[in-house]
């Protein structure tokens, strides 16, 4: 998040251009704080990853 804020200060409004990935990364970083998965969901995903099952 701190790096995203620095990039926003340096780039200003041009950072919001959708052709750059900085806008998307910054938006996703904020969303991950609010919409973080629960421990149960992480445990299921980790178990599927370890056993080779597909993760939807």
């Amino acid at each position: 998040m701190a790096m995203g804020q620095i990039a926003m200060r340096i780039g200003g409004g041009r950072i919001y251009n959708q052709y750059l990935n900085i806008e998307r990364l910054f938006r996703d970083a904020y969303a991950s704080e609010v919409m973080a998965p629960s421990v149960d969901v992480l445990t299921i995903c980790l178990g599927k990853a370890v056993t080779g099952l597909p993760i939807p």
Side-chain angles (χ1 to χ4, degrees):
M1 292 273 299
M3 294 307 290
Q5 291 172 342
I6 291 170
M8 295 296 268
R9 284 190 191 142
I10 292 171
R14 292 176 299 186
I15 296 299
Y16 286 104
N17 186 346
Q18 291 183 352
Y19 293 109
L20 301 174
N21 284 332
I22 296 172
E23 179 265 339
R24 181 182 56 84
L25 295 172
F26 193 60
R27 183 186 65 230
D28 292 348
Y30 269 120
S32 68
E33 286 186 352
V34 178
M35 300 169 46
S38 67
V39 175
D40 295 337
V41 172
L42 291 174
T43 304
I44 291 169
C45 289
L46 182 60
K48 287 184 177 185
V50 169
T51 59
L53 293 173
I55 302 172

